[in-house]
């Protein structure tokens, strides 16, 4: 008899992402299902991320992914066709062996990840199971609190704001659906507040759908947000809290060994004081990449000083890599992990990264990239892993809303079972 779980075909193509850059889309076929996955791409990428293979040359200004696509169609496909689509870990391991490099530079992490995610989706479809349940099992039920990036700066926007992300978290809501409504209402009021203060042309949006008004100082976005939240009828702090990702690797200048924020130079200690000042004035509950990707000492210092009070999240420093996360755990360099599947390149390794962080008592934030697609995979992943947090942009642009909308569907499907952790986003089980 025909095995319904046998992989009968694997096919990749080059498509466009949310920034209009090429990316990899993969389809995996079984006799009873097809799983499709699309690969995201960062702008403020960590140096130690798995390698995204780009063609170079003049096509797409060098950003073409025809080599990655060919690697799927000619090298990976023949190896995994015939395998059982539910053997996720075997398939991921075979791809690692085929690649043979530490950072997936041979086949490309974009090639490998596309297959890895499409395999998971094809398996869940073949089993007739929702993706979050296939990955997370019968106990996947925690909805994530959104970290919604409503003011964009850094390399994601054309303004002069050095800090990259100013996010709102509806911690006082009692369901995901209600939380995302609060976020949407606040976002629209914020638009009015910005238009009134800076004019109509100041409400253009950045890569992650947040507004990019002409601000410079790191405290200015928080002032606008307080005003918007109050005008929307919510209480800053109690109901809607703040998260921030300065993405400080981008404004660290190795030549002078200093961070430069709004033309002022800061050493690590001075930057720590700036963060402390912001945290004392505004209800900030989560701070990501406060220092650059090799500044382990200052990460450890800020975690020691502020880790009891707020979440310290590592993104570029850990790059979802279990080895770097282990170093972070040993050094107490953070208390939370930003989980980006394309930083490491396979679903199995991303889940390993999550387990490594969990076992150290860390929080986990499943995250999109600034270059995204309409693929909502990470929405399912956040529920599958019961992380309690997701960072996936402003409630604008379908590359961001596809994730929020998938979470609305999942919560509906899990009615009576789903738990929205609210203020307990760092550890929904404590
Ligand atoms: P990126 O930014 O996707 O451009 O790397 C997101 C982040 O820094 O968290
Ligand atoms: Zn980041």
């Amino acid at each position: 008899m025909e095995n319904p779980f046998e992989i009968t075909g694997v096919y990749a193509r080059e498509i466009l992402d949310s920034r209009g850059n090429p990316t990899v889309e993969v389809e995996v076929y079984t006799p009873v299902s097809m799983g499709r996955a699309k690969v995201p791409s960062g702008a403020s990428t960590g140096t130690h991320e798995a390698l995204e293979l780009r063609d170079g040359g003049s096509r797409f200004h060098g950003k073409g992914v025809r080599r990655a696509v060919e690697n799927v169609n000619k090298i990976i496909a023949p190896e995994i066709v015939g395998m059982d689509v539910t053997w996720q870990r075997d398939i991921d391991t075979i791809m690692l062996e085929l690649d043979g490099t530490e950072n997936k530079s041979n086949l490309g992490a974009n090639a490998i990840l596309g297959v890895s995610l499409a395999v998971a989706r094809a398996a869940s479809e073949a089993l007739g199971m929702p993706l979050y349940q296939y990955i997370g099992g019968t106990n996947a039920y925690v909805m994530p609190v959104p970290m919604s990036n409503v003011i964009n700066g850094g390399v994601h926007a054309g303004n002069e704001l050095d800090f990259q992300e100013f996010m709102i978290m509806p911690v006082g809501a009692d369901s995901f659906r209600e939380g995302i409504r609060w976020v949407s209402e606040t976002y629209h009021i914020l638009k009015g507040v910005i238009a009134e203060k800076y004019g109509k042309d100041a409400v253009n949006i950045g890569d992650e759908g947040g507004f990019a008004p002409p601000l410079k100082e790191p405290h200015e976005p928080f002032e606008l947000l307080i005003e918007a939240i109050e005008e929307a009828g919510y209480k800053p702090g109690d109901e809607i809290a703040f998260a921030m990702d300065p993405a400080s690797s981008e404004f660290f200048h190795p030549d002078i060994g200093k961070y430069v924020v709004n033309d002022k130079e800061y050493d690590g200690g001075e930057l720590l004081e700036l963060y402390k000042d912001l945290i004392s004035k505004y209800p900030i509950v989560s701070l990501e990449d406060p220092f650059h990707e090799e500044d382990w000492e200052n990460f450890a210092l800020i975690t020691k000083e502020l880790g009891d009070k707020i979440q310290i999240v590592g993104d570029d420093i850990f790059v979802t890599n279990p080895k770097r996360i282990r170093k972070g755990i040993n050094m107490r360099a953070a208390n939370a992990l930003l989980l980006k599947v394309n930083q490491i390149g396979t679903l199995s390794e991303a889940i390993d990264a999550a387990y490594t962080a969990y076992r150290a008592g860390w929080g986990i934030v499943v995250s999109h990239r600034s270059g995204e697609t309409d693929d909502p995979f990470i929405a399912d992943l956040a529920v599958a892993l019961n992380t309690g947090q997701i960072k996936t942009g402003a409630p604008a642009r379908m590359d961001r809303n596809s994730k929020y909308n998938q979470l609305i569907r999942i919560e509906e499907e899990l009615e009576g079972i789903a738990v929205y952790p609210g203020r307990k986003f760092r550890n929904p089980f404590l």
Side-chain angles (χ1 to χ4, degrees):
M1 206 181 77
E2 189 183 50
N3 173 8
F5 301 111
E6 183 180 326
I7 297 177
T8 53
V10 177
Y11 180 73
R13 65 170 67 84
E14 186 181 57
I15 59 162
L16 296 181
D17 73 9
S18 59
R19 280 193 279 247
N21 291 324
T23 191
V24 179
E25 171 173 276
V26 178
E27 288 164 3
V28 167
Y29 294 86
T30 72
V32 296
S33 71
M34 189 274 277
R36 179 182 287 143
K38 304 167 200 181
V39 176
S41 172
S44 61
T45 46
T47 311
H48 302 280
E49 293 191 17
L51 185 118
E52 186 181 79
L53 195 61
R54 299 278 179 190
D55 299 336
S58 59
R59 248 182 112 250
F60 284 116
H61 307 289
K63 288 184 189 284
V65 292
R66 282 213 292 218
R67 275 161 66 209
V69 162
E70 247 185 42
N71 290 344
V72 173
N73 293 336
K74 301 218 168 111
I75 300 173
I76 298 173
E79 292 293 324
I80 68 169
V81 165
M83 287 182 76
D84 192 306
V85 76
T86 61
W87 296 354
Q88 183 74 42
R89 209 172 176 90
D90 284 296
I91 293 167
D92 286 347
T93 306
I94 283 172
M95 290 194 287
L96 295 189
E97 283 165 3
L98 272 178
D99 175 79
T101 66
E102 183 80 1
N103 66 348
K104 304 182 176 67
S105 52
N106 201 353
L107 297 174
N110 40 354
I112 294 171
L113 182 71
V115 175
S116 185
L117 301 185
V119 161
R121 187 168 272 132
S124 76
E125 296 279 336
L127 287 157
M129 228 184 233
L131 184 59
Y132 64 89
Q133 198 180 50
Y134 171 66
I135 296 172
T138 183
N139 213 43
Y141 69 100
V142 177
M143 299 305 299
V145 175
M147 267 182 188
S148 184
N149 183 12
V150 291
I151 295 185
N152 293 185
V155 297
H156 295 166
N159 56 10
E160 288 178 61
L161 198 55
D162 291 302
F163 284 13
Q164 182 177 281
E165 302 176 16
F166 295 83
M167 297 172 277
I168 55 175
M169 297 180 75
V171 293
D174 47 46
S175 67
F176 177 81
R177 219 167 343 189
E178 185 183 39
I180 207 66
R181 174 171 66 83
W182 293 9
V183 165
S184 162
E185 289 170 3
T186 304
Y187 179 76
H188 287 100
I189 300 274
L190 177 65
K191 184 174 183 174
V193 169
I194 292 171
E196 200 177 300
K197 283 199 165 61
Y198 302 97
K200 266 202 326 214
D201 55 356
V203 294
N204 293 330
I205 59 179
D207 285 353
E208 298 189 348
F211 301 111
L215 309 175
K216 289 185 171 181
E217 292 283 359
H219 72 273
E220 291 176 309
F222 293 115
E223 290 294 330
L224 293 178
L225 288 173
I226 295 272
E227 199 177 323
I229 292 168
E230 284 175 347
E231 202 182 313
Y234 300 107
K235 290 192 201 75
D238 280 353
E239 292 184 317
I240 299 185
F242 296 144
M244 113 172 122
D245 177 11
S248 61
S249 296
E250 299 296 323
F251 56 83
F252 177 70
H253 294 248
D255 44 330
I256 52 169
K258 297 259 168 117
Y259 296 91
V260 181
V261 181
N262 192 18
D263 297 328
K264 290 190 283 284
E265 291 179 9
Y266 294 80
D267 64 23
E270 290 161 342
L271 192 59
L272 176 58
E273 290 309 312
L274 173 63
Y275 293 135
K276 280 187 184 165
D277 182 56
L278 289 169
I279 289 160
S280 71
K281 292 197 176 102
Y282 306 103
I284 296 164
V285 294
S286 181
L287 171 56
E288 178 182 330
D289 281 2
F291 300 102
H292 74 82
E293 61 196 352
E294 299 298 347
D295 200 349
W296 299 84
E297 283 72 26
N298 277 312
F299 257 96
L301 185 64
I302 195 169
T303 303
K304 191 167 164 220
E305 296 208 4
L306 298 174
D308 284 344
K309 206 172 148 215
I310 67 163
Q311 177 171 259
I312 305 292
V313 187
D315 171 11
D316 289 357
I317 188 172
F318 303 134
V319 291
T320 316
N321 185 321
K323 271 192 206 148
R324 290 183 72 91
I325 297 164
R326 277 194 285 276
K327 179 174 174 184
I329 291 166
N330 289 334
M331 287 187 69
R332 294 177 200 270
N335 58 30
L337 169 71
L338 199 81
L339 187 86
K340 289 170 164 168
V341 280
N342 81 321
Q343 281 182 331
I344 187 70
T346 62
L347 179 61
S348 301
E349 290 168 288
I351 295 172
D352 284 349
Y355 270 84
T356 307
Y358 276 144
R359 290 290 170 128
W362 285 15
I364 298 184
V365 186
V366 170
S367 172
H368 67 164
R369 299 309 302 251
S370 52
E372 263 296 334
T373 70
D374 53 335
D375 189 338
F377 196 102
I378 59 165
D380 284 81
L381 186 63
V383 179
L385 300 178
N386 289 326
T387 60
Q389 307 180 66
I390 191 167
K391 177 171 108 153
T392 190
R397 310 187 116 165
M398 286 321 290
D399 37 305
R400 315 297 145 180
N401 282 340
S402 64
K403 282 69 165 175
Y404 292 135
N405 290 345
Q406 176 68 356
L407 287 164
I408 289 171
R409 285 179 213 112
I410 293 174
E411 189 173 64
E412 194 176 282
E413 200 167 284
L414 290 174
E415 202 186 335
I417 298 162
V419 166
Y420 180 79
R423 244 165 252 103
K424 285 170 45 173
F425 61 89
R426 283 175 72 174
N427 187 338
F429 297 91
L430 276 185

